[in-house]
Amino acid sequence: RSLLLEHFNLDVEFRTLGSQQDQNFLATSHGSLEPLGVLKISNPAFSRLELELQEAVAERLAEDNPDVRVARVATLDGQRVEGWFDTTQGCLHLCLLDYIEGVTLTGGCYLAPSVIERMGELAGRVSRSLASMSHPGAARTLQWDLRHARRVVDEIGAANLSPRGGDTIARATDEAWQIVESLAAQLPRQLGHFDLTDDNLVGACGDSPTPDGIIDFGDVTDSWAIAELAVTISSMLHHDGVEPRSVLPAVKAFDAIRPLSDAEVTALWPLVVLRGATIVVSGQHQAVIDVNNEYVAASLDSDWRIFEQAASLPLDVMTGLFRHVLERPAAPLCDTSDYGRIMDLGSEKVVTLDAGTTSEVNDNGGWRDVNALERAALDSLDAGAATAVLPFNSIVLTGSPILSPTEPRTVTTETSIWSSTERTVLAPTAGEVRTLEDAIEFWFDDVVLRLSGARPATTESEVGEGRAIAVLRARSRVRIQLRAARSSAIPSLVSAGYAPGWLSVVADPARLLGLPESVAPRRSDLLERRGRVLARVQDHYYETPPQIERGWREHLIDVSGRVYLDMVNNVTSVGHAHPRIAAAASRQLRLLNTNSRFNYEAITTFAEKLVATLPKELDTVFLVNSGSEATDLAIRLAMAATDRRDIVAMCESYHGWTYASDAVSTSIADNPNALDTRPDWVHTVDAANSYRGRYRGEDARRYATEAVEQIEMLGAAGTAVAGFISESFFGNAGGVPFPDGYLAAVYGAIRAGGGLAIADEVQVGYGRLGHWFWGFEQQGVTPDIVTVAKSIGNGHPIGAVITSQAVAERFRSQGYFFSSTGGSPVSCVIASTVLDIIREERLQANAATVGTHLKQRLEALGVRHELIGAVHGSGLYLGVEFVQDRETLEPATAQTAAICSRLLELGVIMQPTGDHKNVLKIKPPLCIDQTSVDYFAEMLDRVLTEGW
């Protein structure tokens, strides 16, 4: 303090900051809380030339990257605030650095893919800026320079690690160093920051700060350029939710700015491992010699996490993954056409099995069980096939759908065969036979042919081409894998996200079997194709959505076999792929599906079942194709029955996309111009939202009073109202119930003026609320017209309008009504079956029981997480509303979107709703069980705890 006051006339106060080797302090002007800068007292081990190098690099980066904030030496009245001063510790360098406002990514917080991408981008920009720079201070030796990683681990690690930890680090270091050392001459060198880590990248304050600032130039040196990226990547690996493949966006971003050479791609992950090892041994060493350094002590666990993540996969697997994402595939493992066949299946009848997401190898009434693949193989043999084959690089999906925050292993790294007879396997060339406990391996030309499930055919170890090496048992599964000899054991199944890496160290054995090679799946271009032929405004969930091709109950399955929990699908009310619906639709399609104006039983049967669920006044049904059409027709019915044109609608509601249904839709989330473009025949009343609206709590009863006054004022002014339309439970806001008595008062006012009450039950009807089959029952009222869709067809397009015979007859003034496929035989059979399932499987009761349990779980989360403002709803129509402040109720819109994206990573399909898009819309299939809703609550808790 005295030095700064004496030399720079700065009266400052300090708060200590962490550092491994320097001393850092946050400086504020005396009596002020505003940061002035960061005071740095450099470790005396660093020379003046080295410190000048750091400052020169900071200046270069700031000049080249004006949009990036760089911690340079602060200037006051034209004078740089730095100097060398004699102290009791010797001559020390002191400087005041610019304060970079914001937060670092320090700690274990979740890193969104966009943040990881940005970290890689910044590393690339730094590397590009410093590539042509030189400085005499760069001739320094640092333990953090990865060129010295082997030496650091050998010299420091031996003295500071337990034998167990030391052995693990030594083995990983040896393997990584062998690769890097072999490539050293091909790795370009340059100046670099070499510490662009989560600790030294700064972003604006927020839930997921995107870094735009760089601090701490203490590790600037001349080293391998690729180490810049390796250091940045390593710092990601201890964060919640980050795994090795999470770093791929950073690799792509770096390469886009500063292209990686082939040698650098190969060296990258070994350098990440070496960085992890260096961090661990250096941290342990520093903890021993500086026992009071809390910063170092607190970092030890995360240091180990970095190393363990880096060493969790074979090096060549990660390299293969990098090559895949950069579209630079390596040469094939081997050319199998150079070798003889181990058996010849090509001349026989071979059945190729498909156990992927869209295959029909299934059982258990619509979903396959764990034995389905085996049965399919044996069935094909029984049907006359000589061999059944599950090809290399297939998707295998068997057993019940399992929810998991990580990808399951579904991609085969081998070929499986079932032979109808016993077969002999021949050596494809001269080589060595090794008989193991669970397999027979044949080693040749740096390649291993592994046969699991076969028995030995020879006791010799060295055999020539064409000699018998194994025997396949009849009707038994044998797995055949061809891997690189340098690789350790390769799993039979790997997850799709890592498959390109694993498949780079194995080869397709098809040619050795006399079969055509498997066609490698192309990168999916489905979104691109969709964009070419579908209107862009016909949007889809998520920016980069999974390709969903199968469903079962409350689960959705993508093409890679990843299972997602469907928490938004009130369209599929009784569950995906319900076998009774599939059977009913299939049977009816074989019989008849035609224009609904024909006379057939299905339409009458369904209509009878539907009106039986409603009050006796509602006895007449119109059938259409969708909820939008149902709303449109309901409005036309009201207009025809009253001979009027004006409609009253509730604000913040969505009713559909047709002309009339869109006209009464006032949700700005669905149409930002909804309020400005509303036609003159639509009049609105306030959204009766007792949580967020103008009136809350006890005052919420005023919504009904004011709505009644507005309706009466319209009548008094000569505007005769044809009807009032609203949801009967505020679904569009996330399941907010109306204040008690609201609909009774409004319906009364509408009817007193000669109008009709329309209840939109498209989202909230059909047992979803649990305690009531129809939403209007919660309010104790009976509407004049009810609209319903979504749920009634379980995904099949059918909607209905139910009213009285008297109202229906008035529609004759408009002519007559028909909908060609609304109420077709297939639609009606499906709709009838849905009602049967809801009743017989007691799905309304399930909605009440499971929904109550889920709501309690969510309310408990609200006690611990301030972001949760309220939990709305009933049964299986719930909403979790996120707010930035529980007093002001400022909506947490951006956070909600990010939370939904993070939930997708964890295997949960979730979307926002409401005018502010800050409410999770929770409306899963009614068959969902407690295990699944508990998984949802746990994943939401994880996201709110770890970040998004």
Side-chain angles (χ1 to χ4, degrees):
R1 288 186 64 186
S2 62
L3 287 171
L4 286 176
L5 184 61
E6 176 185 352
H7 292 273
F8 303 102
N9 196 30
L10 287 175
D11 188 8
V12 295
E13 296 176 352
F14 298 105
R15 177 166 62 85
T16 186
L17 301 173
S19 174
Q20 195 193 53
Q21 57 196 15
D22 300 311
Q23 293 189 65
N24 296 320
F25 305 87
L26 181 64
T28 57
S29 298
H30 185 65
S32 170
L33 296 177
E34 288 297 315
L36 183 66
V38 173
L39 179 73
K40 186 181 190 76
I41 302 175
S42 299
N43 190 305
F46 297 133
S47 68
R48 184 185 296 262
L49 201 57
E50 289 175 287
L51 297 176
E52 289 174 353
L53 165 67
Q54 295 177 30
E55 294 173 9
V57 165
E59 292 293 336
R60 167 65 69 89
L61 293 181
E63 291 171 7
D64 285 359
N65 303 275
D67 58 328
V68 177
R69 298 177 296 158
V70 179
R72 294 180 287 183
V73 175
T75 301
L76 184 66
D77 297 330
Q79 180 184 12
R80 290 164 62 88
V81 185
E82 68 167 335
W84 291 85
F85 300 94
D86 290 323
T87 75
T88 56
Q89 297 296 308
C91 186
L92 298 180
H93 179 261
L94 176 153
C95 70
L96 189 69
L97 300 172
D98 289 334
Y99 176 71
I100 307 297
E101 185 177 4
V103 293
T104 66
L105 304 173
T106 300
C109 63
Y110 169 76
L111 299 178
S114 59
V115 173
I116 289 175
E117 180 181 25
R118 175 64 169 173
M119 292 172 73
E121 177 198 336
L122 288 175
R125 292 172 67 174
V126 167
S127 185
R128 183 178 61 187
S129 290
L130 301 181
S132 61
M133 183 177 177
S134 61
H135 192 281
R140 57 195 306 225
T141 301
L142 294 177
Q143 70 183 52
W144 299 111
D145 183 347
L146 291 179
R147 291 180 302 150
H148 310 305
R150 176 64 178 269
R151 182 174 148 209
V152 170
V153 172
D154 288 348
E155 295 184 7
I156 299 180
N160 296 288
L161 291 171
S162 67
R164 180 183 174 195
D167 289 346
T168 302
I169 291 214
R171 284 195 301 272
T173 299
D174 286 346
E175 185 180 358
W177 187 255
Q178 285 180 19
I179 294 174
V180 173
E181 188 176 38
S182 69
L183 296 169
Q186 302 172 55
L187 300 178
R189 284 175 50 181
Q190 65 169 74
L191 275 178
H193 184 286
F194 298 124
D195 200 17
L196 292 171
T197 65
D198 52 347
D199 289 334
N200 296 327
L201 292 172
V202 181
C205 294
D207 297 305
S208 185
T210 299
D212 68 341
I214 299 174
I215 62 175
D216 193 350
F217 291 81
D219 292 343
V220 169
T221 190
D222 178 273
S223 186
W224 293 317
I226 187 58
E228 193 79 81
L229 179 58
V231 168
T232 301
I233 282 176
S234 68
S235 74
M236 303 170 186
L237 295 179
H238 70 99
H239 284 263
D240 292 328
V242 173
E243 55 182 293
R245 74 177 180 129
S246 302
V247 309
L248 295 179
V251 177
K252 287 187 67 175
F254 185 99
D255 179 72
I257 292 170
R258 195 297 214 164
L260 297 168
S261 68
D262 184 75
E264 288 177 317
V265 173
T266 305
L268 179 54
W269 198 253
L271 285 171
V272 173
V273 173
L274 292 171
R275 170 71 175 187
T278 301
I279 289 172
V280 170
V281 300
S282 298
Q284 298 275 30
H285 175 64
Q286 195 70 22
V288 170
I289 65 174
D290 192 1
V291 293
N292 296 319
N293 193 328
E294 295 180 1
Y295 176 87
V296 171
S299 300
L300 294 180
D301 285 344
S302 64
D303 292 347
W304 272 105
R305 168 76 174 160
I306 290 170
F307 170 74
E308 288 166 352
Q309 286 267 66
S312 65
L313 282 171
L315 299 173
D316 46 6
V317 170
M318 280 305 295
T319 299
L321 201 57
F322 291 150
R323 292 188 185 282
H324 175 76
V325 77
L326 296 175
E327 300 185 24
R328 301 178 197 172
L333 177 65
C334 66
D335 186 350
T336 53
S337 63
D338 292 342
Y339 301 99
R341 292 178 178 177
I342 63 174
M343 65 181 80
D344 191 354
L345 305 179
S347 59
E348 305 172 353
K349 182 179 179 181
V350 177
V351 171
T352 301
L353 300 174
D354 176 9
T357 304
T358 59
S359 100
E360 295 184 3
V361 174
N362 60 61
D363 200 6
N364 196 26
W367 185 257
R368 65 198 71 176
D369 65 18
V370 292
N371 299 312
L373 179 61
E374 188 79 15
R375 278 199 304 274
L378 297 181
D379 286 348
S380 67
L381 299 184
D382 292 340
T387 313
V389 177
L390 178 67
F392 169 86
N393 196 13
S394 294
I395 298 293
V396 174
L397 188 61
T398 57
S400 299
I402 297 175
L403 296 170
S404 170
T406 56
E407 269 191 333
R409 295 184 174 188
T410 59
V411 182
T412 61
T413 61
E414 58 197 11
T415 294
S416 293
I417 65 173
W418 291 259
S419 174
S420 60
T421 61
E422 191 174 88
R423 292 178 183 271
T424 300
V425 181
L426 307 177
T429 186
E432 177 188 356
V433 179
R434 299 183 185 180
T435 301
L436 309 177
E437 184 177 346
D438 60 341
I440 297 164
E441 291 187 345
F442 182 69
W443 290 63
F444 64 101
D445 295 349
D446 296 324
V447 178
V448 178
L449 176 68
R450 180 180 175 89
L451 303 164
S452 302
R455 60 183 174 83
T458 181
T459 57
E460 298 179 15
S461 58
E462 301 291 335
V463 300
E465 181 177 349
R467 294 285 302 278
I469 58 175
V471 175
L472 274 57
R473 297 179 177 89
R475 300 177 65 85
S476 293
R477 183 178 187 176
V478 175
R479 296 181 170 93
I480 303 173
Q481 188 182 76
L482 200 56
R483 77 165 195 270
R486 67 179 183 276
S487 301
S488 54
I490 308 294
S492 296
L493 291 173
V494 296
S495 64
Y498 289 102
W502 285 107
L503 296 179
S504 70
V505 295
V506 292
D508 186 353
R511 288 185 181 176
L512 300 180
L513 298 169
L515 298 173
E517 285 192 315
S518 305
V519 178
R522 292 172 30 200
R523 290 173 183 263
S524 176
D525 60 350
L526 188 61
L527 275 182
E528 182 183 342
R529 287 168 50 203
R530 176 184 173 123
R532 287 198 297 265
V533 296
L534 288 179
R536 297 293 176 89
V537 295
Q538 188 170 344
D539 212 351
H540 51 74
Y541 291 148
Y542 304 109
E543 182 177 350
T544 307
Q547 184 179 336
I548 302 295
E549 297 289 355
R550 196 179 189 114
W552 177 247
R553 291 178 58 84
E554 66 268 33
H555 305 107
L556 293 169
I557 300 96
D558 72 12
V559 289
S560 73
R562 177 75 191 272
V563 176
Y564 297 88
L565 176 60
D566 181 1
M567 291 300 294
V568 302
N569 222 319
N570 60 343
V571 173
T572 317
S573 56
V574 301
H576 298 284
H578 198 293
R580 288 182 61 181
I581 292 175
S586 176
R587 180 180 184 276
Q588 187 59 49
L589 279 168
R590 291 197 302 271
L591 293 173
L592 173 72
N593 196 34
T594 187
N595 189 323
S596 61
R597 297 168 76 177
F598 284 95
N599 183 32
Y600 47 86
E601 184 177 356
I603 194 167
T604 302
T605 299
F606 170 57
E608 288 172 343
K609 289 181 179 180
L610 184 58
V611 297
T613 68
L614 289 151
K616 64 180 187 309
E617 300 94 325
L618 300 169
D619 57 8
T620 305
V621 178
F622 293 83
L623 292 177
V624 291
N625 295 291
S626 69
S628 294
E629 291 177 70
T631 300
D632 199 291
L633 177 58
I635 292 169
R636 290 186 63 193
L637 276 170
M639 291 177 173
T642 61
D643 199 24
R644 300 171 178 177
R645 65 187 292 269
D646 289 84
I647 298 290
V648 176
M650 183 179 289
C651 282
E652 300 181 23
S653 297
Y654 173 78
H655 297 288
W657 60 266
T658 62
Y659 176 75
S661 62
D662 179 67
V664 296
S665 295
T666 52
S667 169
I668 59 174
D670 296 287
N671 177 3
N673 301 312
L675 297 175
D676 298 328
T677 58
R678 192 175 66 250
D680 63 358
W681 52 269
V682 177
H683 313 273
T684 60
V685 295
D686 267 358
N689 187 330
S690 56
Y691 175 73
R692 171 173 292 285
R694 281 199 302 152
Y695 304 123
R696 303 172 186 176
E698 289 297 319
D699 287 343
R701 61 180 180 273
R702 297 177 62 181
Y703 287 120
T705 303
E706 291 192 0
V708 169
E709 290 174 354
Q710 287 178 257
I711 292 167
E712 291 174 344
M713 288 172 59
L714 284 170
T719 300
V721 175
F724 167 79
I725 185 170
S726 74
E727 291 185 284
S728 47
F729 200 91
F730 206 176
N732 199 58
V736 181
F738 293 148
D740 290 344
Y742 178 84
L743 286 183
V746 177
Y747 282 11
I750 283 290
R751 286 165 174 160
L756 301 178
I758 304 170
D760 180 346
E761 296 274 347
V762 169
Q763 294 198 81
V764 300
Y766 253 54
R768 178 158 294 280
L769 298 180
H771 304 288
W772 310 277
F773 191 85
W774 298 101
F776 59 76
E777 294 174 328
Q778 186 265 341
Q779 287 276 307
V781 298
T782 298
D784 300 298
I785 303 172
V786 174
T787 64
V788 64
K790 293 187 187 296
S791 300
I792 69 176
N794 206 57
H796 188 83
I798 180 171
V801 178
I802 312 98
T803 187
S804 65
Q805 191 66 247
V807 170
E809 281 300 310
R810 294 295 302 274
F811 193 71
R812 289 191 181 278
S813 65
Q814 308 293 306
Y816 62 92
F817 170 81
F818 76 95
S819 175
S820 293
T821 57
S824 70
V826 169
S827 297
C828 289
V829 163
I830 289 173
S832 283
T833 306
V834 168
L835 279 174
D836 293 344
I837 291 168
I838 291 174
R839 182 185 69 255
E840 295 167 18
E841 297 184 7
R842 305 189 73 248
L843 295 187
Q844 182 181 340
N846 188 67
T849 303
V850 175
T852 298
H853 173 76
L854 176 56
K855 190 171 185 180
Q856 290 170 348
R857 292 288 312 264
L858 297 173
E859 288 171 339
L861 294 184
V863 175
R864 295 191 292 109
H865 299 292
E866 288 290 322
L867 194 71
I868 296 178
V871 179
H872 308 302
S874 173
L876 288 174
Y877 203 115
L878 303 176
V880 176
E881 183 150 0
F882 293 127
V883 295
Q884 300 192 53
D885 185 295
R886 288 186 176 180
E887 294 298 322
T888 66
L889 302 188
E890 181 183 354
T893 302
Q895 294 91 329
T896 306
I899 288 168
C900 289
S901 295
R902 177 84 203 278
L903 283 171
L904 181 68
E905 292 180 16
L906 298 175
V908 177
I909 304 289
M910 177 50 60
Q911 287 292 299
T913 191
D915 266 18
H916 304 287
K917 292 290 186 182
N918 69 315
V919 185
L920 298 184
K921 57 163 78 172
I922 301 170
K923 43 188 183 63
L926 299 178
C927 60
I928 195 169
D929 60 24
Q930 185 170 313
T931 300
S932 288
V933 299
D934 281 339
Y935 181 82
F936 168 64
E938 289 158 10
M939 291 305 101
L940 181 58
D941 185 23
R942 177 173 172 177
V943 173
L944 295 174
T945 301
E946 294 178 353
W948 50 85

